[in-house]
């Protein structure tokens, strides 16, 4: 939580969503999901459709040459059909070298107000999904920077 503008030290706090509204930009939600997921969890659908404000941006990852996973494709389509959500594909920087996907994930997390991760219980947080969660935990709080930055590109 961020202290509200003009409040003294024990005053009201604002959520990251309220802070973004004050900064004249909608909230950014980074959604990462395991490649084995074949659908969107109902809780995520409900949250995005009913629990987010206007001008919410959903950040989705994809590779430079590979097609996005089923989870990301379904989320993208859901956002396209919504009146208040915008989906943005975040791709690795082609010049970033072998760790480009991990750099992209770090920057997606840094540019987000909220990170939501979904994975199959049999394959708990493997590969990129686990890296996204680790980056969010390491960051610890809402980021103030925007995406893209040096190692990510937006399509």
């Amino acid at each position: 939580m961020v202290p509200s503008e003009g409040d003294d030290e024990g005053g009201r706090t604002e959520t990251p969503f309220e802070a973004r509204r004050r900064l004249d930009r909608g909230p950014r939600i980074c959604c990462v999901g395991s490649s084995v997921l074949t659908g969107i969890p109902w809780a995520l659908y409900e949250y995005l459709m009913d629990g987010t404000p206007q001008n919410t941006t959903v950040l989705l990852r994809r590779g430079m040459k590979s097609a996005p996973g089923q989870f990301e494709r379904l989320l993208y389509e859901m956002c396209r059909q919504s009146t208040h959500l915008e989906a943005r594909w975040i791709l690795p920087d082609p010049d970033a070298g072998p760790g480009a996907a991990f750099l992209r994930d770090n920057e997606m997390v840094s540019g987000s107000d909220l990170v939501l991760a979904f994975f199959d219980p049999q394959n708990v947080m493997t590969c990129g999904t686990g890296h996204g969660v680790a980056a969010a935990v390491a960051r610890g709080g809402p980021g103030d920077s925007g995406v893209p930055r040096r190692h990510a590109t937006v399509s």
Side-chain angles (χ1 to χ4, degrees):
M1 300 289 247
V2 180
S4 295
E5 201 170 333
D7 285 348
D8 57 62
E9 200 153 314
R12 186 175 107 52
T13 57
E14 61 187 11
T15 67
F17 286 171
E18 291 170 326
R20 291 297 173 231
R21 213 173 294 124
R22 184 173 48 78
L23 295 172
D24 199 28
R25 153 172 104 61
R28 291 181 180 169
I29 301 173
C30 173
C31 289
V32 295
S34 170
S35 60
V36 300
L37 294 178
T38 58
I40 299 172
W42 181 250
L44 175 59
Y45 177 85
E46 243 182 355
Y47 176 73
L48 289 176
M49 296 305 280
D50 298 332
T52 54
Q54 286 289 3
N55 301 320
T56 295
T57 301
V58 177
L59 304 177
L60 301 169
R61 58 191 179 154
R62 64 173 296 170
M64 287 301 299
K65 297 178 182 174
S66 60
Q70 179 80 3
F71 175 78
E72 287 84 2
R73 286 193 313 267
L74 290 171
L75 270 178
Y76 180 80
E77 192 56 40
M78 184 184 83
C79 292
R80 281 191 54 223
Q81 294 177 16
S82 161
T83 59
H84 73 287
L85 299 171
E86 174 193 354
R88 294 177 73 191
W89 291 113
I90 310 297
L91 290 75
D93 181 346
D95 299 324
F102 289 111
L103 292 170
R104 180 231 19 230
D105 292 349
N106 284 339
E107 296 193 11
M108 283 178 66
V109 167
S110 294
S112 299
D113 303 302
L114 177 66
V115 177
L116 299 174
F118 296 87
F119 48 89
D120 176 48
Q122 303 303 316
N123 301 306
V124 178
M125 294 196 291
T126 59
C127 301
T129 305
H131 182 261
V133 170
V137 169
R139 188 189 75 194
D144 291 323
S145 59
V147 170
R149 287 187 2 207
R150 197 169 133 216
H151 298 291
T153 58
V154 177
S155 82

